[in-house]
Amino acid sequence: MRATPHFLLALLLCAPLATAQTTRPVVLVIGTGGTIGSSGDYWTGTPTRVPIDQLIRVPGIDSVAMLRSEQFWNIASGAIGPSRWLELSRHIADLLRDRPELAGIVVTHGTDTMEETAYFLDLTLPGDRPVVVTGAMRPSDMAGADGPANLTSAVRAAVDPRARGRGAMVVMDDRLFAARDVTKSNSTRVESFQAPERAPIAIIDPDGLYYRQASPGRTRPVFELGAVRELPRVDIVYSYGGADSVMIDAVVAAGARGIVMAGVGRGGLASGQSEALRRARAKGVVVAISTRTGSGRVPVTRDDGMVGSGDLNPQKARVLLTLALSRSADVGEIAQLFRAQQ
Ligand code: DAS
């Protein structure tokens, strides 16, 4: 083709645009399912699953980053537990190793167990690039759907150099949280995600991200997964007025190597549970004591052979105990890991 003056002029005018587009950071969005990836009657009926390549078509998001997407699963988060945590963490670690062009990674996930998956990623992923987990409290076709805004905020965090070195994070409702701190605190409200007694890492406002905490500059994971292919069974047992030994004996019989007690108050246990816990410990089961109150601390150091979870809630303590037991069954070493997470 002959280069006419008009053609050359058009080329010149487009050049800055082309450069701007190619220099936008690249973010990979990994879809795993949940309400954000659904439409229809999610709570009472069978939802329609919306594919991730459709979900990322949010007006304006292209100006933040060049998005790539990948449908890893499309399931409710109640189906995501230890074996899937392992699979997802290994996959993301491979991506971080093989795809240096990625500024960050966003994972869309059901909100019900999002805090557990995010904390597992936090404890196991290498490097300092942001890995941001997000979801939605409302299906994609509901009035006031929060998925598009959460996804946009997550991408904004994923490309922000100030978000580096902070481990895995969660974005919900205009706030960026450390995976370790965040919990789902309400069954339906969009402002469900909170970090009890801690602050969000940043507030995500239209004009920028406003950080509340300095980056610890992390580059190494707490746990190198190495050759770990399977994780030990750890169960959570609730304490309540009049609780007896049945649940504790049952999880030990099912093969639990660890038990997290969702204790009352500051980690108190129903008197009917004590004897079963003694039996469990005699079999080598490691017991961590947390609180069912939703916030507050259970001191890590105890003199009864058990470990307090600090301010990790029961589901977070279970993630940490699961990983700790993949390394050692020594109560002293495990207590040290819990202490380091406070
Ligand atoms: N069913 C849910 C889940 O997959 C709800 C949600 O995503 O909010 O966790």
Side-chain angles (χ1 to χ4, degrees):
M1 190 175 73
R2 210 163 61 86
T4 64
H6 282 114
F7 175 76
L8 288 174
L9 183 65
L11 208 64
L12 269 176
L13 288 173
C14 288
L17 187 65
T19 314
Q21 285 190 348
T22 47
T23 54
R24 273 177 308 156
V26 183
V27 171
L28 177 70
V29 184
I30 301 175
T32 72
T35 297
I36 189 170
S38 76
S39 64
D41 194 358
Y42 197 86
W43 293 295
T44 54
T46 314
T48 304
R49 300 273 172 212
V50 182
I52 193 69
D53 55 352
Q54 207 168 306
L55 286 181
I56 62 170
R57 287 187 218 139
V58 177
I61 206 166
D62 282 349
S63 65
V64 182
M66 203 167 346
L67 295 189
R68 304 282 178 261
S69 66
E70 175 188 292
Q71 192 77 60
F72 198 60
W73 306 305
N74 204 345
I75 55 180
S77 72
I80 299 176
S83 60
R84 285 197 159 107
W85 297 339
L86 261 185
E87 197 186 336
L88 184 62
S89 176
R90 284 189 187 290
H91 179 62
I92 295 176
D94 289 349
L95 289 166
L96 292 170
R97 187 195 56 224
D98 300 338
R99 307 263 312 259
E101 81 281 11
L102 296 177
I105 292 178
V106 170
V107 179
T108 62
H109 195 288
T111 62
D112 290 347
T113 69
M114 170 187 284
E115 63 188 271
E116 290 151 77
T117 303
Y119 189 38
F120 188 88
L121 297 177
D122 183 55
L123 291 168
T124 56
L125 284 177
D128 71 344
R129 273 177 289 172
V131 174
V132 184
V133 185
T134 194
M137 295 298 293
R138 296 174 178 159
S140 62
D141 59 346
M142 182 183 268
D146 51 332
N150 288 339
L151 187 58
T152 305
S153 296
V155 173
R156 288 174 66 199
V159 300
D160 188 350
R162 294 169 300 168
R164 288 184 166 229
R166 297 178 187 266
M169 293 163 283
V170 166
V171 161
M172 289 293 286
D173 193 31
D174 299 335
R175 284 168 298 172
L176 175 66
F177 295 99
R180 183 224 170 272
D181 301 342
V182 71
T183 191
K184 183 173 181 174
S185 67
N186 186 284
S187 59
T188 49
R189 303 276 103 81
V190 292
E191 70 274 23
S192 171
F193 280 74
Q194 310 289 337
E197 303 199 85
R198 304 217 174 199
I201 291 175
I203 304 297
I204 305 176
D205 270 350
D207 61 331
L209 278 76
Y210 290 86
Y211 286 81
R212 299 282 187 262
Q213 302 168 15
S215 170
R218 282 172 46 186
T219 54
R220 293 174 62 83
V222 176
F223 293 92
E224 306 271 359
L225 286 175
V228 177
R229 294 275 163 250
E230 209 182 328
L231 291 163
R233 179 179 179 127
V234 175
D235 288 289
I236 299 173
V237 176
Y238 227 70
S239 202
Y240 46 88
D244 62 16
S245 61
V246 170
M247 300 302 285
I248 294 166
D249 288 338
V251 299
V252 173
R257 288 186 40 214
I259 298 175
V260 174
M261 294 301 300
V264 293
R266 200 163 171 252
L269 302 170
S271 51
Q273 294 177 312
S274 308
E275 188 50 30
L277 283 178
R278 198 198 52 73
R279 281 196 295 275
R281 289 198 299 109
K283 288 183 176 157
V285 176
V286 176
V287 180
I289 311 287
S290 182
T291 173
R292 68 177 202 179
T293 56
S295 64
R297 180 170 299 279
V298 175
V300 174
T301 306
R302 306 170 63 100
D303 56 10
D304 58 3
M306 300 191 279
V307 179
S309 73
D311 70 345
L312 291 173
N313 68 22
Q315 54 273 29
K316 293 279 174 64
R318 173 177 175 250
V319 173
L320 183 58
L321 185 55
T322 301
L323 279 163
L325 283 166
S326 72
R327 187 190 275 183
S328 163
D330 181 85
V331 178
E333 269 179 58
I334 291 174
Q336 192 46 44
L337 285 163
F338 272 82
R339 229 169 270 125
Q341 284 293 301
Q342 302 308 310

